[in-house]
Amino acid sequence: MSVALSGCAKLNLTVSGNGDVMQVIQGDVLKCDLPYFDICVANIPYQISSPLTFKLLSHRPMFRCAVIMFQREFAMRLVAQPGDTLYCRLGVNTQLLARVSHLLKVGKNNFRPPPKVDSSVVRIEPRKPQPLVNFKEWDGLVRICFNRKNKTLGSIFRQKSVLSILEKNYKTLQALQLSQNGSIEDKETALDVSALGDTGEDLNMEIDDDDEEMEVEDGETKGSEFKDRVLGVLKQGSFEEKRSSKLTQADFMHLLSLFNKAGIHFS
């Protein structure tokens, strides 16, 4: 069965008259419940690039391949590698779930009338099986790290606002574990791919953007025990002097596991 998502009534007339078997769903792709599909080929409104990408990646059963045309800068963020200028949270989250490759550039002059931006066609192949990671935890870590991707992790995790958030999580989870007398791991949360869907490059964890110089000094006693725990994790993995802009998927996975083993969580 082929499936076409469309907002064009003319397509219905064309399909119904040619004898081919095709199901046409007319509506907003972000609001529709998608049926089973194996391959997605799409030229989309660029403003839905991020939510559509993660809606596709959260769809079950997983599809085999998607070939989609995006605005070029968005596409290059999807495929960016550690050390690239455009390497960001969007690319890290997408590449956690899928193999992403750039197929070709489509210049603005290929359209009439020409738009203001160039485009690129990208191939997305979901990883099978999906990685065994709590996606909310993963994205919480990546959000913090990419808030200032060119600063050292030691500097980022010394910020008062970051330490405050992590310590609040730590104390909350400790209290829950004591009250429940066991693990609080939420398996549904761990498997919720849609947790990665908010890919704005802003940091939605109430971290103050003006907090760059507000670091907890080594001599401060208040909160120093928890700060030492956090910095100890970074030192254990030799991450203190590393920068998010250079970390690989394996690096982020290792760092998250070290924090979790120390009882430090990001959701």
Side-chain angles (χ1 to χ4, degrees), residues 88-101:
C88 62
R89 175 176 157 243
L90 171 67
V92 170
N93 281 350
T94 305
Q95 292 172 38
L96 173 72
L97 303 173
R99 296 177 181 86
V100 190
S101 54

Side-chain angles (χ1 to χ4, degrees), residues 187-201:
K187 293 183 179 179
E188 291 186 1
T189 296
L191 298 174
D192 186 9
V193 174
S194 63
L196 305 181
D198 170 23
T199 55
E201 294 309 308

Side-chain angles (χ1 to χ4, degrees), residues 181-210:
N181 214 9
S183 173
I184 63 166
E185 180 68 20
D186 184 343
K187 293 183 179 179
E188 291 186 1
T189 296
L191 298 174
D192 186 9
V193 174
S194 63
L196 305 181
D198 170 23
T199 55
E201 294 309 308
D202 60 314
L203 186 64
N204 296 323
M205 293 182 65
E206 299 179 358
I207 293 178
D208 187 353
D209 286 338
D210 296 325

Side-chain angles (χ1 to χ4, degrees), residues 18 46 53 57 63 73 80 88 119 133 137 141 151 155 162 166 185 189 200 231-232 243 265:
N18 66 10
Y46 291 161
T53 297
L57 289 172
F63 59 94
E73 183 175 349
C88 62
S119 304
V133 61
E137 285 271 358
L141 170 64
K151 293 177 69 70
S155 178
V162 173
L166 295 182
E185 180 68 20
T189 296
L231 297 183
R243 303 171 195 274
H265 294 267

Side-chain angles (χ1 to χ4, degrees), residues 43 106-117:
N43 178 18
V106 183
K108 63 185 74 172
N109 292 328
N110 288 286
F111 300 91
R112 294 291 181 273
K116 295 181 179 180
V117 297

